[in-house]
Amino acid sequence: MHLGNQICEKFISSSINIENACCSMQAAVTFGLDNFKRTLLPFIEQNTAEIFKTKSFNELSETTLSYILQSDELTMDEYDLMKAIKGWAVVNSIFRYGYAEVLCLVNILKLDTMDGIRSFDHLSFVCDTDKFAFIGMKFH
């Protein structure tokens, strides 16, 4: 890694906060800075609920959001997490395309039934809830 990248990563890492966490992660994913992604992820995991309410959360690319959602350490209730993802999808105008793929990355297996998922009124036309349950079960 170039010295310039290391200096930038160190500076940004030392000034990471709720408002700039998503922008920082987006940059790390966009520029393929794997060490930086791994440095940022614990902060996002510890502050998930607050970070997912920021404007910059809705500006994440599908790739970056998918990377974050692969973590099993996100500190946010699964139902609220799905609501945040639904909001992200609406903002990004991919409600009918891409939403199911991103949502299926969420580890929502702590839900007792699929009723919580079915309660999302638009989910039925983007994701086969039985397939979704199967995808979830393999991670449980």
Side-chain angles (χ1 to χ4, degrees):
M1 180 187 315
H2 292 92
L3 181 60
N5 286 355
Q6 290 175 340
I7 292 170
C8 289
E9 285 180 22
K10 186 173 182 176
F11 173 76
I12 293 172
S13 295
S14 68
S15 61
I16 195 74
N17 61 49
I18 301 296
E19 295 300 320
N20 68 16
C22 287
C23 294
S24 299
M25 181 61 82
Q26 183 62 56
V29 170
T30 299
F31 297 108
L33 304 172
D34 294 333
N35 289 335
F36 192 39
K37 290 190 304 189
R38 286 188 292 275
T39 300
L40 293 169
L41 192 57
F43 181 83
I44 293 172
E45 291 168 341
Q46 294 169 3
N47 299 286
T48 309
E50 295 87 4
I51 290 171
F52 279 27
K53 292 177 186 173
T54 65
K55 180 183 176 196
S56 60
F57 168 75
N58 288 320
E59 296 170 354
L60 290 174
S61 69
E62 184 176 345
T63 303
T64 301
L65 180 56
S66 296
Y67 174 78
I68 293 169
L69 293 176
Q70 290 176 39
S71 171
D72 290 330
E73 304 298 322
L74 298 176
T75 54
M76 187 173 189
D77 178 72
E78 289 87 357
Y79 183 81
D80 292 335
L81 186 59
M82 289 190 303
K83 285 187 348 186
I85 295 166
K86 180 179 178 180
W88 172 88
V90 169
V91 168
N92 286 280
S93 301
I94 62 163
F95 195 75
R96 291 182 182 254
Y97 176 78
Y99 175 58
E101 290 79 10
V102 172
L103 188 60
C104 288
L105 292 173
V106 180
N107 182 4
I108 59 162
L109 307 179
K110 296 172 188 157
L111 294 175
D112 293 330
T113 67
M114 291 303 293
D115 293 335
I117 295 170
R118 288 189 180 107
S119 70
F120 284 89
D121 52 344
H122 296 84
L123 186 58
S124 60
F125 68 76
V126 281
C127 186
D128 177 353
T129 53
D130 292 328
K131 179 179 177 185
F132 190 73
F134 174 75
I135 291 169
M137 289 188 320
K138 76 177 187 177
F139 292 105
H140 195 283

